[in-house]
Amino acid sequence: IMPSLVGSEMCKETATRLRKEKLLGENAIQSLRRGEMVGIIALEKICALLDMQPGNIIKYVENSEHKNIKNNV
């Protein structure tokens, strides 16, 4: 099971603000755009910016590798 941010599509204005105000690093912004995992520090900053808890913005996406592990347990 791989965590992924809900609504990972980021508008240009949001990405520009994040860069300009140095709220998130470029790697975290690119990971968000690609729907990939971000680190715990980036997640903490996102939660603070949105005034939300991690459970409000994260969903779990099961991939085939983790599905095989789950079936073997």
Side-chain angles (χ1 to χ4, degrees), residues 8-46:
S8 60
E9 292 186 21
M10 186 184 306
C11 67
K12 276 188 173 182
E13 295 82 22
T14 302
T16 301
R17 177 179 173 228
L18 292 171
R19 279 190 195 95
K20 184 178 178 181
E21 297 179 24
K22 298 181 181 179
L23 300 171
L24 283 180
E26 187 63 33
N27 288 340
I29 293 170
Q30 291 304 317
S31 292
L32 288 170
R33 280 195 169 152
R34 292 188 298 259
E36 298 173 351
M37 291 190 306
V38 295
I40 192 70
I41 293 171
L43 179 59
E44 183 178 32
K45 289 179 182 180
I46 293 164

Side-chain angles (χ1 to χ4, degrees), residues 25-70:
E26 187 63 33
N27 288 340
I29 293 170
Q30 291 304 317
S31 292
L32 288 170
R33 280 195 169 152
R34 292 188 298 259
E36 298 173 351
M37 291 190 306
V38 295
I40 192 70
I41 293 171
L43 179 59
E44 183 178 32
K45 289 179 182 180
I46 293 164
C47 288
L49 287 169
L50 299 175
D51 192 28
M52 294 185 168
Q53 295 294 315
N56 298 119
I57 60 173
I58 294 177
K59 71 176 180 178
Y60 288 94
V61 178
E62 191 169 26
N63 65 27
S64 60
E65 179 183 323
H66 291 110
K67 187 182 271 189
N68 291 335
I69 292 169
K70 184 177 161 183

